[in-house]
């Protein structure tokens, strides 16, 4: 069901209601929005399961209403929609709004060269919570960055066989952002920038030939109904935007204890969504043949185009910052982020990726325990 909201009403929606007992913490009601389907890892673990945990951690004083799918806001509207208070907390894919998030999009350009979603997820989260230039980015957009994510390396889910460089010539490929678009352009394909919510209809209607997305979406979004070929090529991870961010006025109106509840519960959501991706990708690939999907390995020639582009990702990111966004020194942000990536590469070396508690403990100790709810994003 679609709903209409007046901005003035939406901005003032979160109302502090009496908790009953004298001196008790007041209850804050708020809207949370994720435009993905409920069974998607970024919806299931980062919202459907996280919000009840948040309510419990706040002793019931945080009372969210969750909207899944593009009910409250469209996919590209989860930056301005949170800034305006239509949703007070939500998920946003930053490559959908490059002009508003140039720093984020510069770092997104690097993602093509990363293959480890665990390192990427922990690194992008810490970077956005601590690097001043990234914090300034969120402040000027009137949102508070709270949690990050990383989607495992993208594959090609197609309506036709795409194995060789010749196969991909002229193919219309749905891409999530500039990095994948640049690669598609470079090899003679035709990039199509549409939200992931439009992949199914695009493939079904012949508007696109392939979708660049992890293989779990064969099952999660039923793409195996329309994409009967999956090329298991590694096109880098995706981590642009945020898994959780809050309207700045809403955040600053919370008590320190309520803000601390976010810091205590988001690490669990971060780890659980990473594990869910692992599980759903394995399940989708196991069931693919039964659903009529043929799995392909890319040719050496096609792989070489990816490796060449990955080697140029850093230079491309800096050039984007300078030429596209007019940034004075994008290399400074790239350098800082790469230092955080190196830190997490070392911290996660030898850590069992299936050890949920160990991963949560790392996220808490190295990131969230260092945030002060009295001061974070309160300026």
């Amino acid at each position: 069901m679609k709903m209409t909201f007046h901005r003035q009403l939406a901005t003032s929606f979160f109302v502090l209601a009496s908790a009953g007992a004298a001196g008790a913490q007041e209850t804050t009601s708020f809207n949370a929005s994720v435009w993905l389907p409920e069974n998607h890892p970024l919806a299931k673990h980062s919202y459907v399961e996280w919000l009840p945990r948040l309510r419990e951690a706040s002793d019931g004083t945080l009372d969210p209403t969750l909207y899944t799918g593009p009910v409250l806001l469209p996919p590209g509207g989860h930056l301005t929609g949170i800034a305006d208070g239509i949703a007070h907390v939500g998920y946003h894919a930053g490559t959908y709004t490059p002009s508003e998030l140039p720093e984020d999009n510069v770092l997104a350009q690097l993602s093509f060269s990363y293959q480890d979603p665990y390192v990427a997820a922990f690194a992008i989260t810490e970077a956005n919570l601590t690097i001043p230039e990234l914090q300034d980015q969120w402040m000027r957009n009137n949102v508070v960055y709270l949690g990050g994510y990383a989607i495992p390396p993208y594959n090609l889910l197609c309506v036709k066989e795409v194995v060789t460089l010749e196969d991909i010539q002229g193919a219309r490929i749905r891409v999530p952002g500039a990095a994948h678009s640049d690669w598609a352009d470079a090899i003679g394909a035709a990039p199509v920038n549409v939200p992931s919510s439009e992949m199914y209809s695009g493939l079904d209607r012949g508007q696109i030939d392939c979708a660049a997305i992890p293989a779990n979406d064969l099952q999660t979004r039923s793409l195996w109904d329309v994409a009967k070929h999956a090329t298991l090529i590694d096109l880098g991870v995706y981590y642009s935007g945020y898994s959780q961010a809050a309207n700045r006025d809403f955040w600053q109106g919370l008590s320190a204890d309520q803000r601390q509840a976010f810091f205590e519960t988001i690490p669990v959501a971060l780890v659980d969504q990473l594990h869910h991706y692992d599980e759903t990708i394995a399940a989708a690939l196991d069931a693919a043949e039964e659903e009529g999907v043929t799995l392909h390995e890319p040719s050496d020639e096609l792989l070489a185009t990816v490796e060449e582009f990955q080697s140029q990702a850093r230079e491309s990111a800096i050039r984007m910052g300078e030429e596209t966004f007019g940034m004075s020194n994008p290399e400074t942000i790239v350098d800082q982020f790469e230092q955080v990536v190196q830190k997490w590469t070392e911290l996660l070396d030898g850590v069992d990726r299936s050890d949920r508690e160990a991963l949560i403990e790392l996220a808490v100790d190295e990131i969230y325990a260092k945030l002060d709810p009295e001061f974070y994003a309160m300026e």
Side-chain angles (χ1 to χ4, degrees), residues 54-123:
L54 177 67
R55 181 187 288 112
E56 181 179 357
S58 71
D59 294 326
T61 66
L62 290 171
D63 182 30
T65 298
L66 175 62
Y67 296 85
T68 59
V71 174
L72 189 62
L73 291 165
H78 278 69
L79 181 66
T80 57
I82 294 172
D84 294 339
I86 297 172
H88 304 99
V89 175
Y91 160 72
H92 179 58
T95 53
Y96 291 4
T97 54
S99 60
E100 290 84 2
L101 300 174
E103 296 88 350
D104 178 80
N105 277 260
V106 165
L107 295 186
Q109 196 76 0
L110 297 174
S111 67
F112 200 93
S113 62
Y114 297 137
Q115 288 77 48
D116 189 332
Y118 287 82
V119 169
F122 282 78

Side-chain angles (χ1 to χ4, degrees), residues 83-373:
D84 294 339
I86 297 172
H88 304 99
V89 175
Y91 160 72
H92 179 58
T95 53
Y96 291 4
T97 54
S99 60
E100 290 84 2
L101 300 174
E103 296 88 350
D104 178 80
N105 277 260
V106 165
L107 295 186
Q109 196 76 0
L110 297 174
S111 67
F112 200 93
S113 62
Y114 297 137
Q115 288 77 48
D116 189 332
Y118 287 82
V119 169
F122 282 78
I124 198 65
T125 300
E126 178 176 341
N128 275 295
L129 290 167
T130 59
I131 293 176
E133 291 87 347
L134 299 180
Q135 280 285 293
D136 289 345
Q137 169 187 238
W138 306 117
M139 183 185 297
R140 71 171 180 261
N141 282 284
N142 198 39
V143 300
V144 176
Y145 184 97
L146 295 173
Y149 69 103
I151 298 175
Y154 278 36
N155 306 135
L156 291 175
L157 310 183
C158 305
V159 298
K160 63 178 185 176
E161 180 177 311
V162 174
V163 173
T164 68
L165 188 57
E166 184 179 359
D167 292 336
I168 209 167
Q169 302 293 306
R172 295 160 297 175
I173 304 175
R174 176 269 167 187
V175 295
H180 295 85
S181 180
D182 290 349
W183 169 74
D185 271 332
I187 62 173
V192 180
N193 291 288
V194 297
S196 59
S197 57
E198 298 177 20
M199 291 184 300
Y200 187 103
S201 61
L203 291 163
D204 187 40
R205 296 171 183 172
Q207 297 165 335
I208 56 176
D209 301 303
C210 298
I213 202 74
N216 68 295
D217 273 0
L218 285 168
Q219 185 174 50
T220 303
R221 301 182 200 248
S222 299
L223 292 187
W224 51 28
D225 292 343
V226 290
K228 295 301 183 180
H229 297 271
T231 305
L232 304 181
I233 190 170
D234 185 337
L235 298 178
V237 302
Y238 183 91
Y239 50 60
S240 181
Y242 43 75
S243 180
Q244 296 96 357
N247 172 274
R248 205 166 192 88
D249 297 326
F250 164 77
W251 177 256
Q252 294 180 354
L254 300 177
S255 69
D257 287 342
Q258 289 173 322
R259 291 191 290 270
Q260 180 61 28
F262 282 85
F263 298 157
E264 291 175 358
T265 56
I266 288 177
V268 179
L270 172 63
V271 172
D272 283 352
Q273 64 91 4
L274 286 165
H275 278 174
H276 192 183
Y277 267 116
D278 288 344
E279 294 163 2
T280 55
I281 288 173
L285 292 177
D286 285 345
E289 184 177 357
E290 185 178 338
E291 296 293 332
V293 177
T294 303
L295 304 181
H296 304 281
E297 293 295 335
S299 69
D300 291 342
E301 186 182 21
L302 186 55
L303 274 177
T305 69
V306 175
E307 292 167 359
E308 180 180 1
F309 200 81
Q310 288 171 338
S311 71
Q312 301 170 0
R314 188 179 196 278
E315 178 184 345
S316 175
I318 294 170
R319 185 170 60 250
M320 170 189 279
E322 293 171 342
E323 298 178 2
T324 303
F325 299 121
M327 297 167 61
S328 59
N329 192 11
E331 190 168 5
T332 298
I333 297 174
V334 170
D335 286 344
Q336 292 178 88
F337 179 61
E338 289 179 333
Q339 290 172 19
V340 181
V341 170
Q342 182 59 35
K343 168 189 170 178
W344 280 102
T345 300
E346 295 171 3
L347 281 172
L348 289 168
D349 184 30
V351 175
D352 182 357
R353 302 305 170 85
S354 67
D355 190 337
R356 180 175 182 264
E357 296 308 317
L359 291 170
I360 292 171
E361 184 177 356
L362 270 175
V364 171
D365 292 347
E366 295 293 332
I367 304 176
Y368 286 93
K370 299 178 180 180
L371 300 178
D372 189 336

